[in-house]
Amino acid sequence: MNMDAIKDTYFAECGDQLAELESGLFDMSSGDTDPEIINSVFRAVHSIKGGAGAFALDDLVNFAHVFENALDVIRSDNSQSSPERIDLLLRCADVLNDIVTVARDGGDKIDCEEITKALENEFNLEEEDENAEEAVFDAVPISLDAFDFDDFGTPPKAFQIAFAPQNELYLHGHDPQRIFRELGELGTCTAKADTSKIPALDGYDPKVTNLSWNLTLEADANLSDVKAPFEWVEDFCTLEIEEPEEAPLEGGDDISDFLGGLDAGDDVDTSAFDDGDSLGAPVDVSEESEEAAPSLEVVETKAAPPAEAGKERQAASKPIRVDSAKVDRLINLMGEMVISQSMLTMQINDAGFTSGTPAGLALVELQNLTRDIQSSVMAIRAQPIKPVFMRMSRVVREVASATGKKANLVLEGESTEVDTTVIEGLSDPLTHMIRNSVDHGIESAEKRLAAGKPEVGEIRLSASHSSGSIVIEIRDDGAGINRPKVLEIARKKGIVSPDAKLSDDEIDNLIFAPGFSTSDEITDVSGRGVGMDVVRQSIQGLGGRVLISSEPGKGSHFTLHLPLTLAILDGMLVKTSEQILVLPVTSVIETIMFNKDDVFVIGEGNRVLKLRGQLVPLIDIGNTLGFSEKTTDWDNATIVVVESRKNEMSALVVDSIVGQQQVVIKSMESNYKRIPSIAAATILGSGRIALILDVDDIVSRGAKEITAQPSPKLEKIA
Amino acid sequence: MTTTVLAVDDSRTMRQMLEHCLKGAGFDVVLAEDGADGLEKLAANEPKVIITDINMPVMDGFEFIEAVRGGDSKSRLPILVLTTESDAAKKERARNAGATGWIVKPFDPEKLIGAVKRVMP
């Protein structure tokens, strides 16, 4: 692994940390005071800073450092938190995000001087002396020069060191041998063990350290070099270092001769200092003491709970990272499995095995399993929509600040899980819609106050599951769609004819028309010539629909319906003109047998079905799609009543219903081209291709045919 | 025989970095992503030196050090604290928990190796 690869990991991790940061701050801004939230926020900035330092990303380190200090103020004392401060922290998160982006992709240096100052003022952070900071980061006192020490040009000096470790020293994992070894790297070190304090065996307490050393170090080093190896043990020992006089002392040899000598550069065996008994070996003593002294068991039991608790918490949920290509492959394979299963079902049924036979039972088992596997695999791809929602809070902040408006984003159902592909495709249209809501929907603070509304506008973004689809709603409490203005613009731009009479709903929907923009001037925020038509296309591209409703003075309400998954559909298979077609089960209301008495003709041969007192357009689907000439003999036909996402119904006439099964969606656009009224295609168990109908499109066509009649007149069919 | 170092850090970047530096210096490396994971890895391996971050989810560095020190025969292993924390109080707390030494991030690979060599057996 090279540094570039580690850097990639770093930036990927930054993405996670930034999401964590923003999500935590957002929770804090909604009043959540759980200390774990500020901890995770702090950790996020802290980790970003840590990695940035390693890659010498100085801008990032500097800003993260101030940011971290500010967060630490709240972390240490939650009463220091206030809405204004959290708002500032949220803006800092945006800036941090930008700095990370520049560090990763390059680009102009982000100017963060102003916000840094604001942070320092708001949180009373003292501007740090750069040198002081430097000193802090240089806290590891290992002199690299000392390791390379081989210049004995100047005569060595002899330091006298009296070193008496305390129990604590061993308890902290230190070992005098290692200190001697390090001293030995400075020059020649000899050590004399002082065993005089070791008591006789009957008074011996294995938990008490009695051994100390007198060392002589001959080295051309200064006092701080000699002190360095003791840095971590200073508080756990008595240490006296006597600096040499000008002239180097000789006599180390004597000491070493006297006690057998110890060159600290070699492997040190402390038993050499006495008879080899464990008495003199501190490490052994302390290890033995654990077995010997029952009091230590108390320590063990005390320490056990955090370890176990930690394990438990960890076992609860531990995400793993998987290459999305692997998941995609799994999804594809599962799709193929669904197809194979339906082929098998067909073969087994054709062979005459009914559901009561062993083969039939095994098949049912297989179907259940396939369904379970499918939902499990889909769950892998599903992610909470939260990260996308979190990004919207930044959008609201930025647009509000750019337009001088005041707006608050309220999130609901952000833990709703949505297919990854849908999430990816949702970010752009959602951003655009939220921008529009702030820019065009929410009024200025003055206007709002004048209208008796709260000064701060509210945008409510919610996600939920509803009968096999994801529903995302954006509600604002702004001015609502200005219908006269929309109509005027649409007429001016030739989107509608000057004399067309449109319902409120139709006027509202004009904002989705290509090339429509209600803004008088193209603003920085939502203009740029990209309108709601692009939003609608994006949503449709995800297999979804976008609806609007609006109330003047009260606000607008956008509803996005998105499929749970883009890969599999529960389909009803119907037959018409020898073609098998698939209808999404979610859009089927009921199936009824054709009854002539319920069918009427309106105007020029348009048929409608009278269904419980309501007239529903009747569509001969085989004819509409061009499979057959319009047929009048519907005596043996079946009617499938379907409903669009706009809650409009149509009655589709088909020859028969074939069955119900899951189908794997194969895109028409990517394999062929878009065909009106067709949503996608699939491969059936027989290997045959079947088209999946776009119910919404079919229903809206049926409705148009009927409403296009100037004065509909109901007639009984012949 | 190669010396094994157990490195505990919640940041993937840091883990990769530690692994890169330590392996480059000839150490065997066992990685763990928080204190709890660290204790598991400690039980399953024979590290001679432990390096740990302080700020971690699930089980932080303080708890981890205390758990190691209160544990079995591996309780005397040298533990180096690796953290960007620069204030003295944190260092003091780590030391009270039983840390052997500390390395302040961002670490210089040579300093890291130097610190490990300083405490390794």
Side-chain angles (χ1 to χ4, degrees):
Chain A
M1 172 159 311
N2 60 26
M3 286 308 272
D4 283 347
I6 299 179
K7 210 166 179 174
D8 287 346
T9 306
Y10 170 68
F11 284 120
E13 195 171 22
C14 273
D16 298 347
Q17 308 283 12
L18 287 166
E20 178 97 347
L21 168 66
E22 192 158 9
S23 147
L25 286 173
F26 193 82
D27 288 346
M28 286 164 68
S29 74
S30 23
D32 200 330
T33 55
D34 182 352
E36 191 37 46
I37 293 177
I38 176 76
N39 279 339
S40 71
V41 164
F42 181 85
R43 264 202 307 275
V45 178
H46 184 76
S47 291
I48 290 173
K49 178 179 126 180
F55 298 112
L57 304 170
D58 294 341
D59 290 349
L60 198 46
V61 172
N62 294 338
F63 185 70
H65 184 67
V66 181
F67 195 174
E68 185 186 17
N69 286 345
L71 287 167
D72 203 31
V73 170
I74 296 182
R75 190 169 72 135
S76 325
D77 177 6
N78 198 45
S79 69
Q80 295 287 319
S81 175
S82 72
E84 294 73 32
R85 282 187 161 186
I86 291 174
D87 193 54
L88 176 61
L89 293 173
L90 275 164
R91 279 190 284 134
C92 287
D94 298 343
V95 172
L96 190 66
N97 199 330
D98 292 342
I99 300 176
V100 169
T101 308
V102 168
R104 186 189 56 215
D105 306 334
D108 293 341
K109 182 182 153 92
I110 303 295
D111 179 13
C112 53
E113 202 172 317
E114 199 176 315
I115 195 153
T116 305
K117 282 266 177 305
L119 259 188
E120 285 168 345
N121 290 337
E122 178 66 39
F123 288 89
N124 304 318
L125 305 172
E126 282 171 28
E127 227 174 294
E128 286 172 22
D129 181 353
E130 273 190 23
N131 296 326
E133 180 71 1
E134 190 91 353
V136 164
F137 284 121
D138 274 347
V140 180
I142 295 177
S143 157
L144 295 173
D145 298 340
F147 286 121
D148 302 323
F149 193 84
D150 55 10
D151 175 15
F152 289 98
T154 47
K157 299 183 275 187
F159 292 84
Q160 298 298 327
I161 304 163
F163 172 54
Q166 294 155 1
N167 294 345
E168 285 282 290
L169 181 141
Y170 301 109
L171 292 173
H172 281 75
H174 291 286
D175 185 339
Q177 295 178 46
R178 300 178 201 140
I179 298 170
F180 302 162
R181 184 180 62 199
E182 207 175 329
L183 285 172
E185 286 172 28
L186 292 173
T188 310
C189 180
T190 48
K192 176 191 168 188
D194 178 1
T195 55
S196 63
K197 294 209 176 65
I198 297 180
L201 204 55
D202 54 351
Y204 176 69
D205 180 353
K207 285 167 70 188
V208 177
T209 309
N210 298 300
L211 198 60
S212 59
W213 283 271
N214 292 310
L215 301 118
T216 305
L217 173 68
E218 281 181 59
D220 181 34
N222 54 36
L223 186 60
S224 63
D225 295 338
V226 179
K227 271 188 172 170
F230 295 96
E231 193 216 0
W232 290 339
V233 297
E234 263 176 327
D235 293 348
F236 308 138
C237 67
T238 356
L239 180 68
E240 284 169 33
I241 301 177
E242 204 178 300
E243 276 193 276
E245 303 293 322
E246 281 304 303
L249 285 180
E250 297 200 15
D253 284 349
D254 293 343
I255 297 167
S256 61
D257 285 348
F258 183 70
L259 257 183
L262 171 70
D263 185 347
D266 292 338
D267 253 358
V268 184
D269 181 2
T270 42
S271 63
F273 290 109
D274 55 40
D275 322 301
D277 193 287
S278 67
L279 281 180
V283 174
D284 289 353
V285 168
S286 46
E287 278 179 0
E288 265 175 30
S289 68
E290 274 184 16
E291 287 156 28
S295 64
L296 269 183
E297 283 174 19
V298 180
V299 179
E300 279 182 27
T301 31
K302 243 172 77 184
E308 278 174 13
K311 236 183 245 175
E312 259 177 37
R313 272 177 278 170
Q314 191 189 28
S317 171
K318 192 169 185 180
I320 53 162
R321 291 190 162 262
V322 183
D323 186 350
S324 64
K326 287 184 186 168
V327 179
D328 288 345
R329 180 165 159 70
L330 191 60
I331 302 259
N332 276 333
L333 285 172
M334 197 205 57
E336 301 302 321
M337 189 168 91
V338 171
I339 293 174
S340 300
Q341 184 213 278
S342 39
M343 285 181 177
L344 188 64
T345 308
M346 204 175 228
Q347 295 299 322
I348 286 182
N349 288 342
D350 287 356
F353 292 105
T354 57
S355 56
T357 63
L361 288 173
L363 184 66
V364 171
E365 185 73 6
L366 179 67
Q367 284 166 341
N368 289 341
L369 271 174
T370 311
R371 193 171 278 270
D372 284 355
I373 292 175
Q374 183 205 321
S375 56
S376 306
V377 171
M378 286 306 163
I380 297 178
R381 278 183 68 91
Q383 287 181 342
I385 202 162
K386 192 170 184 177
V388 181
F389 273 23
M390 295 313 308
R391 256 176 267 159
M392 297 310 131
S393 70
R394 176 176 188 175
V395 173
V396 170
R397 278 198 300 284
E398 286 181 346
V399 180
S401 129
T403 54
K405 291 178 181 178
K406 290 186 177 171
N408 225 343
L409 182 71
V410 179
L411 301 181
E412 282 166 359
E414 62 262 44
S415 57
T416 305
E417 296 206 328
V418 184
D419 189 279
T420 320
T421 321
V422 176
I423 289 192
E424 283 164 6
L426 200 56
S427 186
D428 284 351
L430 213 50
T431 303
H432 195 84
M433 291 171 83
I434 294 281
R435 272 188 189 148
N436 268 328
S437 288
V438 183
D439 195 16
H440 303 314
I442 302 290
E443 316 90 324
S444 65
E446 301 79 49
K447 275 191 189 161
R448 290 185 62 88
L449 287 172
K453 291 182 180 180
E455 185 183 5
V456 181
E458 185 180 273
I459 293 165
R460 201 166 272 271
L461 181 58
S462 71
S464 59
H465 280 198
S466 160
S467 62
S469 62
I470 308 283
V471 180
I472 292 169
E473 292 172 275
I474 303 160
R475 291 167 197 268
D476 66 61
D477 65 349
I481 303 265
N482 185 342
R483 290 187 186 125
K485 192 171 169 191
V486 165
L487 196 57
E488 184 198 318
I489 292 170
R491 284 187 174 139
K492 208 184 280 171
K493 296 195 173 174
I495 296 167
V496 291
S497 61
D499 51 352
K501 294 231 179 316
L502 298 175
S503 67
D504 287 351
D505 192 38
E506 283 165 329
I507 297 173
D508 290 348
N509 275 288
L510 284 174
I511 64 164
F512 292 116
F516 187 91
S517 171
T518 52
S519 190
D520 287 336
E521 61 211 83
I522 303 262
T523 62
D524 255 5
V525 239
S526 20
R528 296 187 200 281
V530 180
M532 291 296 279
D533 58 321
V534 177
V535 168
R536 181 152 75 170
Q537 279 167 21
S538 312
I539 301 297
Q540 281 174 342
L542 294 170
R545 290 285 174 274
V546 53
L547 308 175
I548 180 178
S549 68
S550 172
E551 205 175 330
K554 295 243 172 98
S556 304
H557 179 187
F558 292 88
T559 312
L560 274 58
H561 292 269
L562 292 157
L564 269 181
T565 161
L566 303 178
I568 303 259
L569 176 88
D570 268 319
M572 175 183 273
L573 272 54
V574 298
K575 199 173 188 182
T576 178
S577 316
E578 296 308 307
Q579 295 288 327
I580 304 264
L581 298 170
V582 182
L583 287 163
V585 167
T586 47
S587 59
V588 175
I589 306 278
E590 61 183 316
T591 56
I592 45 179
M593 291 306 294
F594 183 83
N595 182 353
K596 238 185 206 171
D597 294 343
D598 293 336
V599 177
F600 299 87
V601 178
I602 294 181
E604 297 296 303
N606 289 304
R607 287 172 168 77
V608 292
L609 176 77
K610 194 169 182 186
L611 185 68
R612 290 183 284 274
Q614 195 184 344
L615 293 178
V616 178
L618 199 60
I619 298 168
D620 180 342
I621 197 71
N623 174 259
T624 306
L625 295 178
F627 294 140
S628 67
E629 292 298 316
K630 196 173 234 172
T631 159
T632 45
D633 175 27
W634 290 349
D635 284 345
N636 296 316
T638 301
I639 291 173
V640 183
V641 181
V642 292
E643 186 183 46
S644 76
R645 288 175 216 250
K646 287 172 89 175
N647 300 327
E648 290 167 343
M649 290 198 289
S650 275
L652 308 184
V653 183
V654 298
D655 292 343
S656 61
I657 289 166
V658 178
Q660 200 171 315
Q661 74 172 65
Q662 289 191 318
V663 296
V664 181
I665 300 173
K666 304 276 181 191
S667 161
M668 290 298 286
E669 282 97 326
S670 59
N671 292 307
Y672 177 57
K673 65 178 185 186
R674 180 159 173 82
I675 303 172
S677 302
I678 302 297
T682 189
I683 302 168
L684 297 175
S686 59
R688 224 172 119 169
I689 291 174
L691 300 175
I692 302 170
L693 298 181
D694 183 343
V695 170
D696 290 7
D697 191 56
I698 290 170
V699 170
S700 72
R701 276 194 187 194
K704 260 181 218 146
E705 275 178 30
I706 303 296
T707 50
Q709 300 294 326
S711 53
K713 197 174 132 210
L714 217 54
E715 281 167 30
K716 269 253 181 209
I717 59 163
Chain B
M1 201 185 76
T2 19
T3 304
T4 302
V5 178
L6 169 64
V8 189
D9 199 309
D10 61 324
S11 152
R12 259 182 296 143
T13 313
M14 275 300 151
R15 286 199 301 275
Q16 283 190 6
M17 199 91 119
L18 286 164
E19 188 178 24
H20 180 70
C21 292
L22 291 165
K23 281 201 170 151
F27 292 99
D28 274 346
V29 185
V30 175
L31 296 171
E33 52 194 62
D34 57 53
D37 190 22
L39 289 178
E40 276 176 35
K41 297 281 164 63
L42 177 61
N45 296 278
E46 293 297 331
K48 294 289 176 242
V49 177
I50 301 172
I51 300 176
T52 180
D53 187 25
I54 285 297
N55 245 305
M56 293 183 290
V58 184
M59 180 192 265
D60 69 18
F62 301 126
E63 287 178 288
F64 172 65
I65 297 169
E66 277 165 12
V68 173
R69 291 285 180 244
D72 58 7
S73 59
K74 290 170 183 169
S75 66
R76 298 292 173 267
L77 285 176
I79 305 176
L80 295 172
V81 173
L82 177 69
T83 174
T84 51
E85 300 293 359
S86 44
D87 76 277
K90 291 268 158 44
K91 236 183 253 176
E92 197 53 39
R93 220 186 124 190
R95 192 157 60 170
N96 288 342
T100 309
W102 53 88
I103 305 158
V104 178
K105 288 193 273 188
F107 61 81
D108 170 342
E110 286 186 68
K111 282 182 183 171
L112 171 82
I113 301 304
V116 173
K117 284 189 171 158
R118 177 190 258 197
V119 297
M120 67 182 248

